[in-house]
mmCIF file of all heavy atoms in Angstrom:
data_model
loop_
_atom_site.group_PDB
_atom_site.id
_atom_site.type_symbol
_atom_site.label_atom_id
_atom_site.label_comp_id
_atom_site.label_asym_id
_atom_site.label_seq_id
_atom_site.Cartn_x
_atom_site.Cartn_y
_atom_site.Cartn_z
ATOM 1 N N LYS A 95 -6.705 3.313 -12.282
ATOM 2 C CA LYS A 95 -6.605 4.051 -13.539
ATOM 3 C C LYS A 95 -5.746 5.304 -13.395
ATOM 4 O O LYS A 95 -4.911 5.604 -14.254
ATOM 5 C CB LYS A 95 -8.005 4.431 -14.026
ATOM 6 C CG LYS A 95 -8.023 5.260 -15.298
ATOM 7 C CD LYS A 95 -9.452 5.622 -15.699
ATOM 8 C CE LYS A 95 -9.475 6.501 -16.943
ATOM 9 N NZ LYS A 95 -10.866 6.871 -17.308
ATOM 10 N N ASN A 96 -5.929 6.042 -12.306
ATOM 11 C CA ASN A 96 -5.266 7.332 -12.145
ATOM 12 C C ASN A 96 -3.834 7.219 -11.638
ATOM 13 O O ASN A 96 -2.999 8.070 -11.962
ATOM 14 C CB ASN A 96 -6.065 8.225 -11.192
ATOM 15 C CG ASN A 96 -7.396 8.652 -11.772
ATOM 16 O OD1 ASN A 96 -7.696 8.366 -12.933
ATOM 17 N ND2 ASN A 96 -8.219 9.308 -10.979
ATOM 18 N N PHE A 97 -3.552 6.184 -10.836
ATOM 19 C CA PHE A 97 -2.236 6.094 -10.211
ATOM 20 C C PHE A 97 -1.405 4.919 -10.709
ATOM 21 O O PHE A 97 -0.211 4.837 -10.414
ATOM 22 C CB PHE A 97 -2.377 5.982 -8.684
ATOM 23 C CG PHE A 97 -3.256 7.036 -8.064
ATOM 24 C CD1 PHE A 97 -4.241 6.685 -7.160
ATOM 25 C CD2 PHE A 97 -3.105 8.378 -8.387
ATOM 26 C CE1 PHE A 97 -5.061 7.644 -6.585
ATOM 27 C CE2 PHE A 97 -3.918 9.345 -7.823
ATOM 28 C CZ PHE A 97 -4.904 8.977 -6.913
ATOM 29 N N GLY A 98 -2.014 3.967 -11.417
ATOM 30 C CA GLY A 98 -1.277 2.796 -11.874
ATOM 31 C C GLY A 98 -0.935 1.847 -10.747
ATOM 32 O O GLY A 98 0.038 1.085 -10.828
ATOM 33 N N ILE A 99 -1.743 1.868 -9.682
ATOM 34 C CA ILE A 99 -1.530 1.021 -8.506
ATOM 35 C C ILE A 99 -2.869 0.370 -8.169
ATOM 36 O O ILE A 99 -3.867 1.064 -7.996
ATOM 37 C CB ILE A 99 -1.038 1.851 -7.308
ATOM 38 C CG1 ILE A 99 0.278 2.560 -7.659
ATOM 39 C CG2 ILE A 99 -0.869 0.981 -6.060
ATOM 40 C CD1 ILE A 99 0.696 3.606 -6.647
ATOM 41 N N ASP A 100 -2.896 -0.959 -8.067
ATOM 42 C CA ASP A 100 -4.162 -1.673 -7.879
ATOM 43 C C ASP A 100 -4.148 -2.374 -6.524
ATOM 44 O O ASP A 100 -3.461 -3.385 -6.345
ATOM 45 C CB ASP A 100 -4.347 -2.686 -9.005
ATOM 46 C CG ASP A 100 -5.766 -3.233 -9.069
ATOM 47 O OD1 ASP A 100 -6.574 -2.900 -8.175
ATOM 48 O OD2 ASP A 100 -6.060 -3.992 -10.006
ATOM 49 N N ILE A 101 -4.912 -1.849 -5.563
ATOM 50 C CA ILE A 101 -4.999 -2.431 -4.222
ATOM 51 C C ILE A 101 -6.449 -2.836 -3.965
ATOM 52 O O ILE A 101 -7.349 -1.990 -4.003
ATOM 53 C CB ILE A 101 -4.546 -1.431 -3.142
ATOM 54 C CG1 ILE A 101 -3.152 -0.872 -3.454
ATOM 55 C CG2 ILE A 101 -4.559 -2.101 -1.765
ATOM 56 C CD1 ILE A 101 -2.697 0.209 -2.483
ATOM 57 N N HIS A 102 -6.666 -4.097 -3.711
ATOM 58 C CA HIS A 102 -8.040 -4.556 -3.451
ATOM 59 C C HIS A 102 -8.551 -3.942 -2.150
ATOM 60 O O HIS A 102 -7.819 -3.883 -1.148
ATOM 61 C CB HIS A 102 -8.078 -6.078 -3.364
ATOM 62 C CG HIS A 102 -9.454 -6.645 -3.474
ATOM 63 N ND1 HIS A 102 -10.365 -6.585 -2.423
ATOM 64 C CD2 HIS A 102 -10.099 -7.259 -4.497
ATOM 65 C CE1 HIS A 102 -11.492 -7.150 -2.793
ATOM 66 N NE2 HIS A 102 -11.366 -7.569 -4.054
ATOM 67 N N PRO A 103 -9.797 -3.489 -2.109
ATOM 68 C CA PRO A 103 -10.330 -2.847 -0.902
ATOM 69 C C PRO A 103 -10.352 -3.748 0.328
ATOM 70 O O PRO A 103 -10.379 -3.245 1.457
ATOM 71 C CB PRO A 103 -11.763 -2.466 -1.308
ATOM 72 C CG PRO A 103 -11.757 -2.420 -2.784
ATOM 73 C CD PRO A 103 -10.753 -3.434 -3.227
ATOM 74 N N ALA A 104 -10.357 -5.061 0.143
ATOM 75 C CA ALA A 104 -10.422 -5.981 1.275
ATOM 76 C C ALA A 104 -9.057 -6.309 1.865
ATOM 77 O O ALA A 104 -8.971 -6.935 2.930
ATOM 78 C CB ALA A 104 -11.120 -7.273 0.867
ATOM 79 N N ALA A 105 -7.981 -5.901 1.204
ATOM 80 C CA ALA A 105 -6.643 -6.153 1.746
ATOM 81 C C ALA A 105 -6.489 -5.465 3.103
ATOM 82 O O ALA A 105 -7.196 -4.497 3.412
ATOM 83 C CB ALA A 105 -5.582 -5.656 0.768
ATOM 84 N N LYS A 106 -5.587 -5.981 3.922
ATOM 85 C CA LYS A 106 -5.345 -5.406 5.241
ATOM 86 C C LYS A 106 -3.947 -4.786 5.267
ATOM 87 O O LYS A 106 -2.946 -5.503 5.171
ATOM 88 C CB LYS A 106 -5.478 -6.476 6.319
ATOM 89 C CG LYS A 106 -6.871 -7.089 6.392
ATOM 90 C CD LYS A 106 -6.958 -8.203 7.424
ATOM 91 C CE LYS A 106 -8.346 -8.801 7.463
ATOM 92 N NZ LYS A 106 -8.443 -9.931 8.421
ATOM 93 N N ILE A 107 -3.903 -3.457 5.366
ATOM 94 C CA ILE A 107 -2.635 -2.733 5.305
ATOM 95 C C ILE A 107 -2.508 -1.853 6.542
ATOM 96 O O ILE A 107 -3.375 -1.025 6.816
ATOM 97 C CB ILE A 107 -2.534 -1.894 4.021
ATOM 98 C CG1 ILE A 107 -2.676 -2.797 2.791
ATOM 99 C CG2 ILE A 107 -1.220 -1.137 3.980
ATOM 100 C CD1 ILE A 107 -2.611 -2.063 1.464
ATOM 101 N N ASN A 108 -1.419 -2.020 7.263
ATOM 102 C CA ASN A 108 -1.203 -1.318 8.521
ATOM 103 C C ASN A 108 -0.610 0.074 8.281
ATOM 104 O O ASN A 108 -0.649 0.584 7.159
ATOM 105 C CB ASN A 108 -0.311 -2.163 9.433
ATOM 106 C CG ASN A 108 -0.658 -2.028 10.903
ATOM 107 O OD1 ASN A 108 -0.742 -0.922 11.419
ATOM 108 N ND2 ASN A 108 -0.841 -3.150 11.570
ATOM 109 N N HIS A 109 -0.028 0.670 9.299
ATOM 110 C CA HIS A 109 0.441 2.060 9.245
ATOM 111 C C HIS A 109 1.907 2.154 8.820
ATOM 112 O O HIS A 109 2.631 1.163 8.758
ATOM 113 C CB HIS A 109 0.247 2.738 10.599
ATOM 114 C CG HIS A 109 1.094 2.147 11.702
ATOM 115 N ND1 HIS A 109 2.403 2.501 11.909
ATOM 116 C CD2 HIS A 109 0.811 1.214 12.642
ATOM 117 C CE1 HIS A 109 2.891 1.835 12.936
ATOM 118 N NE2 HIS A 109 1.937 1.043 13.397
ATOM 119 N N SER A 110 2.336 3.369 8.514
ATOM 120 C CA SER A 110 3.734 3.684 8.174
ATOM 121 C C SER A 110 4.216 2.864 6.976
ATOM 122 O O SER A 110 5.256 2.210 7.016
ATOM 123 C CB SER A 110 4.650 3.455 9.382
ATOM 124 O OG SER A 110 4.218 4.207 10.492
ATOM 125 N N ILE A 111 3.459 2.938 5.896
ATOM 126 C CA ILE A 111 3.751 2.195 4.667
ATOM 127 C C ILE A 111 4.267 3.160 3.608
ATOM 128 O O ILE A 111 3.747 4.268 3.454
ATOM 129 C CB ILE A 111 2.488 1.491 4.135
ATOM 130 C CG1 ILE A 111 1.858 0.599 5.220
ATOM 131 C CG2 ILE A 111 2.807 0.698 2.878
ATOM 132 C CD1 ILE A 111 2.742 -0.501 5.735
ATOM 133 N N MET A 112 5.295 2.757 2.873
ATOM 134 C CA MET A 112 5.758 3.541 1.731
ATOM 135 C C MET A 112 5.642 2.708 0.460
ATOM 136 O O MET A 112 6.198 1.605 0.374
ATOM 137 C CB MET A 112 7.198 4.013 1.883
ATOM 138 C CG MET A 112 7.636 4.873 0.687
ATOM 139 S SD MET A 112 9.296 5.563 0.795
ATOM 140 C CE MET A 112 10.287 4.110 0.481
ATOM 141 N N LEU A 113 4.904 3.233 -0.519
ATOM 142 C CA LEU A 113 4.866 2.667 -1.867
ATOM 143 C C LEU A 113 5.736 3.574 -2.725
ATOM 144 O O LEU A 113 5.290 4.610 -3.198
ATOM 145 C CB LEU A 113 3.425 2.619 -2.391
ATOM 146 C CG LEU A 113 2.400 1.904 -1.503
ATOM 147 C CD1 LEU A 113 1.034 1.885 -2.194
ATOM 148 C CD2 LEU A 113 2.842 0.497 -1.147
ATOM 149 N N ASP A 114 6.994 3.199 -2.907
ATOM 150 C CA ASP A 114 7.960 4.079 -3.563
ATOM 151 C C ASP A 114 7.786 4.021 -5.075
ATOM 152 O O ASP A 114 7.808 2.940 -5.656
ATOM 153 C CB ASP A 114 9.375 3.665 -3.164
ATOM 154 C CG ASP A 114 10.386 4.758 -3.457
ATOM 155 O OD1 ASP A 114 9.965 5.906 -3.704
ATOM 156 O OD2 ASP A 114 11.600 4.474 -3.432
ATOM 157 N N HIS A 115 7.624 5.153 -5.702
ATOM 158 C CA HIS A 115 7.292 5.293 -7.131
ATOM 159 C C HIS A 115 5.877 4.760 -7.390
ATOM 160 O O HIS A 115 5.063 5.436 -7.992
ATOM 161 C CB HIS A 115 8.310 4.606 -8.036
ATOM 162 C CG HIS A 115 9.696 5.152 -7.895
ATOM 163 N ND1 HIS A 115 10.038 6.413 -8.354
ATOM 164 C CD2 HIS A 115 10.806 4.636 -7.324
ATOM 165 C CE1 HIS A 115 11.315 6.637 -8.077
ATOM 166 N NE2 HIS A 115 11.803 5.579 -7.451
ATOM 167 N N GLY A 116 5.622 3.549 -6.998
ATOM 168 C CA GLY A 116 4.254 3.026 -6.999
ATOM 169 C C GLY A 116 3.815 2.343 -8.267
ATOM 170 O O GLY A 116 3.050 1.386 -8.213
#
Side-chain angles (χ1 to χ4, degrees):
K95 177 181 178 181
N96 292 355
F97 309 132
I99 301 169
D100 193 355
I101 307 175
H102 196 285
K106 298 177 181 178
I107 302 179
N108 214 308
H109 65 83
S110 304
I111 305 300
M112 182 177 74
L113 306 183
D114 197 14
H115 299 289

